[in-house]
Amino acid sequence: TVFNSLNHDMTLTEFKFIWYMEYSHRMWGRVVGLAYILPATYFWRKGWLSRPMKGCVLALCGLVCFQGLLGWYMVKSGLEEKPDSYDIPRVSQYRLAAHLGSALVLYSASLWTGLSLLLPRHKLPETHQFLRLRQYAHGTTALIFLTALSGAFVAGLDAGLVYNSFPKMGDRWIPDDLLAFSPMLRNIFENPTTVQFDHRILGIASVTAVTALYLFSRKIPLPRRTRMAVTSLLAVACMQ
């Protein structure tokens, strides 16, 4: 179906390139799973894990397996025949966003757990400013996560191909077809124009939030490690 409707002029060499990319991704995912599960099993049997750490290990193991299951579920959506659809074959943008989101959660949880074991926790005074900084950092994290998920919808719908100008979309700040779908809520997830528009707004909001977080952190006496983290966050946000 994909060959007939989209890639009818693809050569065998071009097909092999795509096939090996997909195959490598699957194999790499399995290697990552084994690289986590095998040492975790070994440490567990040796009795090197505390009771709280055992719960953490089981949760991360579940996330690893769930991530692989979501990947299969996502790819399956691109192979299903849709006789009533004249659109090009593609995976579900909802499943793509779920697969990306679970990967981000798995990566963040693994990194957080590893750093918690490697680096001692700072004993910082619970001042009003410090509590505000922590709350703002959590809010910024949620905003960045939402921005990344919106990027999955852009990829799933090829929404990046709709407009290629910035900051305007074409010759308008707000496109005419922003709310073309009915009911209105469908536009957020299925209208390529709206999906790209939302991703732009969320991206700008994320960079703004990170910049504000950095500026606010400059007013608070923070440990060197924390200050380096906030500065690195700003640098990566600008580069992104």
Side-chain angles (χ1 to χ4, degrees):
T1 302
V2 177
F3 182 81
N4 290 330
S5 61
L6 179 62
N7 298 317
H8 50 82
D9 57 345
M10 178 181 285
T11 65
L12 182 60
T13 302
E14 291 171 335
F15 171 77
K16 284 183 177 180
F17 175 74
I18 294 176
W19 189 91
Y20 279 118
M21 283 182 63
E22 173 66 20
Y23 182 77
S24 300
H25 179 68
R26 293 183 184 206
M27 291 301 106
W28 184 255
R30 290 165 183 168
V31 168
V32 169
L34 289 175
Y36 173 78
I37 293 173
L38 292 180
T41 304
Y42 178 77
F43 297 153
W44 190 301
R45 291 177 65 87
K46 283 288 186 179
W48 295 348
L49 302 178
S50 63
R51 187 177 180 86
M53 186 51 60
K54 285 182 178 179
C56 186
V57 164
L58 286 176
L60 287 174
C61 183
L63 273 174
V64 168
C65 298
F66 180 67
Q67 173 67 8
L69 182 65
L70 263 182
W72 166 81
Y73 186 59
M74 178 194 71
V75 171
K76 183 175 179 291
S77 68
L79 301 175
E80 294 171 350
E81 294 286 347
K82 303 178 181 69
D84 299 330
S85 174
Y86 297 96
D87 196 7
I88 62 173
R90 56 161 59 96
V91 299
S92 164
Q93 68 271 27
Y94 297 100
R95 300 185 193 184
L96 177 61
H99 188 52
L100 174 64
S102 65
L104 291 173
V105 170
L106 173 60
Y107 176 77
S108 300
S110 300
L111 186 65
W112 184 279
T113 303
L115 291 177
S116 298
L117 294 171
L118 292 172
L119 301 175
R121 184 166 184 169
H122 287 302
K123 298 294 183 180
L124 300 176
E126 298 289 324
T127 63
H128 177 67
Q129 278 190 316
F130 182 74
L131 291 175
R132 281 186 60 195
L133 179 68
R134 179 184 292 167
Q135 292 171 351
Y136 196 80
H138 289 164
T140 303
T141 301
L143 181 59
I144 293 171
F145 181 76
L146 185 62
T147 304
L149 287 189
S150 73
F153 281 91
V154 172
L157 292 171
D158 286 335
L161 304 177
V162 181
Y163 292 96
N164 62 359
S165 56
F166 186 86
K168 290 185 177 181
M169 299 177 73
D171 58 351
R172 300 177 65 90
W173 289 102
I174 300 178
D176 292 331
D177 55 341
L178 193 66
L179 300 176
F181 288 18
S182 181
M184 189 179 298
L185 190 62
R186 274 187 61 207
N187 290 280
I188 299 175
F189 306 106
E190 299 179 13
N191 184 340
T193 297
T194 313
V195 166
Q196 189 190 129
F197 180 81
D198 291 344
H199 187 58
R200 290 177 179 223
I201 298 301
L202 286 168
I204 294 169
S206 292
V207 174
T208 304
V210 169
T211 304
L213 178 69
Y214 171 78
L215 294 175
F216 182 61
S217 72
R218 301 292 294 178
K219 303 176 181 178
I220 307 173
L222 295 173
R224 179 173 177 270
R225 196 172 75 205
T226 308
R227 193 163 298 286
M228 283 179 59
V230 177
T231 305
S232 300
L233 177 64
L234 178 64
V236 171
C238 292
M239 183 171 65
Q240 173 71 2

